[in-house]
Amino acid sequence: MGGRAGGGYRRGMRIFPGIVLAMAAVVLTACSGGGGETAADRSSTTTGATDTTTGTTSTAAQQDCAAGYLAQFTLRQKLAQLITVGVTDAADAENVVRTEQVGGIFVGGWTDKALLGQGQIDAVLAASRTPLMVTVDEEGGRVSRLRDLIGSAPSARAVAQTMSVEEYYQLSLERGRKMKALGITVDFAPDVDVSSQPDDSVIGDRSYSDDPQVVTEYAGAFIRAMNEAGVGTVMKHFPGHGAGSGDSHTGAVRTPPLAQLLDRDLVPFRGLIESGAAVMIGHLDVPGLTTPNVPASISPEVMALLRTGTGYGAAPFDGVIFTDDLGGMAAITDRMSIAEAVESALVAGADNALWITTDAVTSVLDRLEQAVASGRLPDSQVDASVLRMARFKGTGPRC
């Protein structure tokens, strides 16, 4: 998301350390059955739940915990956990959370900042039955939705040219703490694209450098700082927008072939895949990877590449996969409706579909329910994504 100056694309909960912990064990041992029973209660009543010699929880107990957590949701509520939508103000946010229990809201350039600056987010959080993601696109430079609230920051490129990695870590930590105090829980940053494009191009100065190692070092400092501040991070735009042919806001974008991305664009993702950050998939046509006219954000092949890691030499990834904005970027909207795009993304393997308005939430959820009923979107896949989202949101009785 982001990239254009006029464009737009997150207090009260423990947020987003969970993804940095061991995957299934953390989620499942942190779960409750939704009725006040803790994981400790469950392990004490489940035969063989804990191996007293190792202190590990058995697979049966983990499965029991997961089932108990998932049982608190209807199918529609599970599906709602897998969408994040842009809001205009506090009333819009509270309405969509209360009526459909969406998993996340997005604070864009068009959003009334009184939602954050005047503490109106509290009523929105109170309307949600589970921890709510409050997300923003705050990179610094020209992609800064919060400069009026927390001050401005240099672009990524300017940072890498003028600051040490440690100085950038300290700056990011200070800004992350300010974001958390406002109620932000997830920042759709850092941009880990590797690019030498002019500053004002779609990626341009949003990229730290055209050197993949420099990108990895500075992006890693940002992720580490935000983790410490309690704000989740999302690396973008997988598998690499830095050498793309254009701007996905305005139309289809083609990258170099996958073979050319391996030693450049994919290097930061490979180096940071175990950092605790989620990953955002771009609307990119990638020769040698995506099917023609099927952008990466709705491509099963791209999701599989990220999940397994074997196709680009990385560790497997079981964190959250977000789509880029599905509702305001022509690379998607020229091809399909928002309901079609959301279904396609989740079927392909994304965990969370993002778009910038609340208008279509009901119709999207209607379609997703139909997709599950028809078998196009398997129940097991929905459950796995709900659990990943729970891990990303934090630990405790709600997993």
Side-chain angles (χ1 to χ4, degrees):
M1 296 181 87
R4 296 181 296 178
Y9 272 85
R10 313 171 190 107
R11 146 187 266 202
M13 67 201 81
R14 291 182 60 199
I15 211 75
F16 307 76
I19 196 171
V20 304
L21 304 177
M23 296 183 291
V26 170
V27 177
L28 303 176
T29 57
C31 288
S32 77
E37 183 183 26
T38 66
D41 295 332
R42 185 175 298 281
S43 66
S44 67
T45 58
T46 303
T47 301
T50 302
D51 183 332
T52 57
T53 62
T54 65
T56 58
T57 305
S58 71
T59 300
Q62 292 173 356
Q63 292 172 342
D64 187 45
C65 175
Y69 175 76
L70 293 166
Q72 70 181 295
F73 300 104
T74 65
L75 172 61
R76 190 176 184 91
Q77 289 169 343
K78 289 180 186 177
L79 294 167
Q81 287 298 298
L82 310 185
I83 62 176
T84 298
V85 293
V87 296
T88 57
D89 54 22
D92 186 31
E94 184 175 354
N95 179 64
V96 74
V97 171
R98 189 176 301 282
T99 59
E100 293 290 10
Q101 290 296 313
V102 296
I105 59 171
F106 178 74
V107 178
W110 62 90
T111 307
D112 183 354
K113 297 308 184 294
L115 173 67
L116 300 173
Q118 296 181 20
Q120 297 173 5
I121 194 65
D122 290 344
V124 181
L125 297 175
S128 183
R129 57 174 293 161
T130 57
L132 177 73
M133 288 192 303
V134 184
T135 70
V136 73
D137 205 14
E138 182 63 38
E139 301 174 15
R142 58 191 158 110
V143 183
S144 178
R145 317 308 177 196
L146 302 176
R147 64 166 59 92
D148 292 341
L149 298 176
I150 67 171
S152 61
S155 69
R157 183 169 289 173
V159 160
Q161 292 173 345
T162 62
M163 302 177 72
S164 70
V165 172
E166 178 60 24
E167 287 171 336
Y168 184 49
Y169 166 78
Q170 294 295 337
L171 173 65
S172 300
L173 179 59
E174 177 186 2
R175 292 176 65 78
R177 287 170 173 164
K178 290 178 180 179
M179 291 164 65
K180 182 68 180 292
L182 288 173
I184 300 298
T185 65
V186 171
D187 187 5
F188 290 130
D191 189 321
V192 301
D193 294 315
V194 180
S195 181
S196 59
Q197 295 176 343
D199 282 357
D200 60 354
S201 61
V202 59
I203 299 300
D205 63 358
R206 299 168 64 193
S207 169
Y208 294 100
S209 176
D210 61 358
D211 181 335
Q213 188 57 41
V214 172
V215 173
T216 303
E217 291 173 357
Y218 280 88
F222 180 89
I223 293 167
R224 182 163 52 94
M226 290 294 163
N227 282 345
E228 184 172 336
V231 177
T233 52
V234 184
M235 298 186 290
K236 58 188 183 185
H237 307 82
F238 190 87
H241 201 316
S245 62
D247 183 349
S248 52
H249 292 89
T250 59
V253 175
R254 179 179 293 268
T255 73
L258 176 61
Q260 295 181 29
L261 302 182
L262 295 176
D263 295 327
R264 179 179 167 89
D265 299 76
L266 283 164
V267 169
F269 291 102
R270 186 159 58 236
L272 297 169
I273 203 65
E274 297 179 289
S275 66
V279 175
M280 178 180 285
I281 309 293
H283 305 314
L284 307 168
D285 295 318
V286 185
L289 179 60
T290 58
T291 301
N293 206 39
V294 179
S297 53
I298 59 172
S299 167
E301 293 80 10
V302 173
M303 307 297 173
L305 178 71
L306 180 54
R307 286 285 181 224
T308 66
T310 55
Y312 73 109
F317 180 67
D318 194 39
V320 171
I321 298 177
F322 288 90
T323 70
D324 205 342
D325 169 29
L326 295 169
M329 302 177 77
I332 286 290
T333 58
D334 285 352
R335 289 162 158 155
M336 61 189 68
S337 70
I338 183 61
E340 291 172 321
V342 173
E343 179 187 338
S344 296
L346 297 186
V347 168
D351 298 301
N352 197 281
L354 168 69
W355 74 99
I356 58 175
T357 175
T358 61
D359 295 346
V361 169
T362 296
S363 60
V364 165
L365 289 174
D366 289 344
R367 184 181 180 108
L368 292 178
E369 286 185 307
Q370 294 167 5
V372 173
S374 70
R376 298 192 304 275
L377 179 58
D379 286 285
S380 59
Q381 189 169 323
V382 173
D383 287 351
S385 290
V386 172
L387 290 171
R388 289 191 191 102
M389 294 310 306
R391 285 204 301 276
F392 192 55
K393 290 181 178 184
T395 60
R398 299 183 188 181
C399 297

